């Protein structure tokens, strides 16, 4: 059971991690604030001292996801020796992130499917938009280096990059085996890179 007198920032972080853990095995739409509080060893009222609404909890989860994923993508890009290598390293880093936190895609897909506008939905869309622009930038740089065809549609290549990872995620969610993503990631990424005409 967690300590009862944690600083507010630590308590908020613990709440986010609790939601991510719960979402790994449950439909995020069915997770209640009462379940979150119980898992944390808090009263329901204590949870609402840190988050005024359930939507505020979900927005914090998506913002945390964006921060964590971007840190991994930044590190992957930094250790790559070229834009094409960066694409590969980012693909693998993204897969590793999902395997580590299988509740995350459930939360993001759930938020993006909501008919109403929420802060979490806006945050999820902002994450996808910034991700797409990051990939477009790498594709354009690779074209400049002659590592990709100069006539390659960078926006379409970025959409396909993200969509390929999402396809792996969906299949893993259906099978219930996220470790399969790790086994398939490099093979699928190689097919993607070959498909867009990447040069060694």
């Amino acid at each position: 059971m967690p300590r009862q007198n944690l600083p507010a920032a630590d308590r908020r972080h613990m709440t986010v991690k609790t939601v991510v853990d719960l979402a790994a095995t449950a439909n995020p739409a069915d997770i209640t604030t009462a379940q979150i509080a119980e898992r944390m060893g808090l009263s329901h009222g204590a949870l609402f001292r840190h988050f005024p609404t359930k939507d505020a909890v979900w927005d914090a989860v998506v913002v945390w996801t964006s921060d964590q994923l971007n840190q991994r993508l930044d590190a992957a890009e930094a250790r790559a020796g070229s834009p094409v290598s960066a694409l590969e390293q980012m693909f693998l880093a993204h897969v590793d992130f999902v395997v580590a936190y299988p509740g995350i895609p459930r939360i993001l897909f759930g938020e993006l499917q909501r008919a109403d506008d929420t802060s979490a939905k806006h945050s999820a869309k902002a994450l996808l938009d910034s991700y797409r622009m990051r990939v477009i930038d790498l594709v354009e740089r690779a074209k400049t280096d002659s590592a990709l065809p100069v006539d390659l549609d960078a926006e379409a290549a970025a959409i396909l990059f993200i969509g390929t990872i999402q396809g792996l995620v969906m299949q893993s969610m259906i099978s219930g085996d996220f470790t399969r993503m790790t086994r398939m990631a490099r093979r699928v990424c190689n097919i993607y890179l070959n498909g867009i005409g990447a040069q060694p």
Side-chain angles (χ1 to χ4, degrees), residues 127-136 155 158-159 162:
L127 169 59
L128 288 175
D129 287 343
S130 65
Y131 198 153
R132 186 176 66 254
M133 294 306 299
R134 180 196 287 262
V135 177
I136 288 173
E155 183 177 15
I159 291 171
I162 298 170

Side-chain angles (χ1 to χ4, degrees), residues 5-27:
N5 57 348
L6 288 175
D10 290 346
R11 183 73 75 200
R12 289 174 63 86
H13 178 71
M14 184 180 294
T15 303
V16 166
K17 294 299 296 292
T18 299
V19 172
V20 171
D21 289 344
L22 286 170
T25 55
N27 180 354

